[in-house]
Structure formats: structure tokens, C-alpha cells
Amino acid sequence: MHLGNGALTPECAALAFGAAGIGLGAAAMDIVRTVSTKDGKKLALAAALGLFVFAAQMFNLPVLPGISAHLVGGVLLAWMVGPSLGAWTMAIVLTVQALVLGDGGLTSLGANIVNMALLPAGVVHLLQRCELQRISVAAVAAGFAVVLAALLIPLETALFRSASELSGWSDFASSMLLSHLAAGAAEGVLTLVLLLALSPATSPSAGTRIRWQIGLLRSAFCLALIAGLVACSTELPDGYEAAAQSRGLAWLLE
């Protein structure tokens, strides 16, 4: 789902950076207002989850014949540490991926932040406003956010292009939707499993030893899940890559 440098026109890239800047600016103001620098546990949790998502996104799993997908993790982060801090954590993950790994283009970084950081955080924010706090709801929201991002990508990649460049775009959008319905289902299942494993299982009054043991078990679970992702990892193209290649739009991947 990471867009590369060739995916967007300069005009769309500028608009996306503006939208990302506005969204992250609002999130930063909320973090300053609600998250104290002394709130070390939440900040540490955000850092740990960010590292987990960074590692998990490196491995693609087959979701359809010839198509793979990876964990996005935007809803997971926003649900666990709050929409604002979750959005910033994901934005940092995406920035490091672009700068260090070349996963996602620098000119498309704004769009990637909108699609994978701000959009999931916005979905979680709406759920919180509606007081929908069940983990099952978060799992459905995670899948829904992936599908929404998949619908945004054809729009983003089409903006400011000539009519000749848009040949086959409706088929590209249809392929994106179909492949990401499967990817969204996988995202929902992974999010459900992770939230069940990571959500508080003890009361605040539980002893230090019990909380330490729970923390150790959670760490072991996350490592086991990463090991499972590695074992099942595939080199198949993801839904975006497969849709572009099959519709004669491989130049979007440059």
C-alpha cells in the first residue's frame, strides 16, 4: 500500500503533504494537551508498538491467488495509545521506512501518512466519540480503514493527470477494491488477535510480579507472531502493485 515516487503528480503530492501537515499538527496539539511528558508508560508503549508495526510491515502474507498484503497497524496503534499519538507513531514508522528502506517514496510520504496514519486514527477517533470501545469493533474498523485507503489511492494517483493517462483507471480502482477487501479481512483478524493479547488483563492494583509476567508473555507473543509472519512471508506483489501491473499501469510503481 506504500505509494512510490512515481505514483503521484507533483500537485497531488503537495496537496497530500499539506493534508498530512494539517492532520499531524492537530494531533500534535492534542498530544501536548492530553499526554504529559511524565506519562512514560504510554510513550513507551507507543515506541514498542511502533517498532512492532515497523517489523511486521516488512513481511507480506498471501491473501488471494497471486496477491499479498502486510499488516498496516494504524488502527492498532490508535486504539492502544490514542488516535493522536497513534497517528504520530505511524507517521514516524512511514518516514523511517521511506528514508532508510526506500519503502514508499519521499514525494509520496504525505499521501502514505494520510492513508495509513491519519485515516485509521480518524476512524478510531469517531469510534471513541460514539463510545464504541469493544475490541471486535476495532477489528472491523481496522479492515474498514484498509478498504477506505484502497479507495483513496486511485483518486490520489489520478489527480492532475491527463485523460490519456487515465485509461484503465476504473479497472485499476476495481482491482484495488477487490484485493483490499481480502487485505482488510486479514488486517481485521490480525488486529483482533493483537488487541486481545495486548489489552490489559489485570487490574491496576495487581502486583508488580503479575504485571511483569503478563508483560513478558505479551512480548513473547509478539515475537512469536513476527516469527509466524516470517515463516509465511511471500514475495508476491501486494494489492496495489498487482492492480497496477495487471491494468498496464506499472509506471505507477516507479
Side-chain angles (χ1 to χ4, degrees), residues 11 15 45 57 65-66 100 107 127 152 158 197-198 218:
E11 297 88 346
L15 284 177
L45 178 60
Q57 284 192 3
V100 178
T107 59
L127 292 178
L152 270 181
L198 298 175
R218 288 173 174 170

Side-chain angles (χ1 to χ4, degrees), residues 13-169:
L15 284 177
F17 269 112
I22 292 171
L24 291 177
M29 292 175 62
D30 183 62
I31 291 171
V32 170
R33 182 174 57 85
T34 60
V35 180
S36 170
T37 55
K38 297 180 180 179
D39 193 0
K41 290 183 179 180
K42 178 172 284 191
L43 296 174
L45 178 60
L49 288 174
L51 288 172
F52 173 81
V53 169
F54 180 88
Q57 284 192 3
M58 296 175 67
F59 306 103
N60 283 34
L61 302 177
V63 292
L64 286 175
I67 298 177
S68 69
H70 62 71
L71 176 73
V72 176
V75 168
L76 172 69
L77 291 172
W79 191 269
M80 292 295 295
V81 300
S84 297
L85 187 54
W88 264 99
T89 303
M90 178 59 80
I92 292 171
V93 168
L94 294 171
T95 302
V96 173
Q97 287 174 337
L99 290 172
V100 178
L101 302 179
D103 193 3
L106 289 176
T107 59
S108 297
L109 180 58
N112 288 329
I113 288 174
V114 170
N115 297 342
M116 289 189 278
L118 295 177
L119 190 153
V123 170
V124 172
H125 176 70
L126 288 176
L127 292 178
Q128 291 180 347
R129 290 290 299 270
C130 296
E131 298 184 356
L132 298 173
Q133 302 292 332
R134 296 175 65 88
I135 289 177
S136 57
V137 173
V140 173
F144 181 65
V146 168
V147 175
L148 281 181
L151 293 175
L152 270 181
I153 287 174
L155 175 62
E156 292 165 344
T157 54
L159 282 177
F160 302 103
R161 295 195 185 277
S162 64
S164 61
E165 291 179 297
L166 297 179
S167 176
W169 228 262

Side-chain angles (χ1 to χ4, degrees), residues 5 21 45 54 104 108 130 139 172 176-177 185 200 206 229 234:
N5 286 322
L45 178 60
F54 180 88
S108 297
C130 296
F172 170 64
M176 284 289 294
L177 176 60
L229 292 176
T234 177

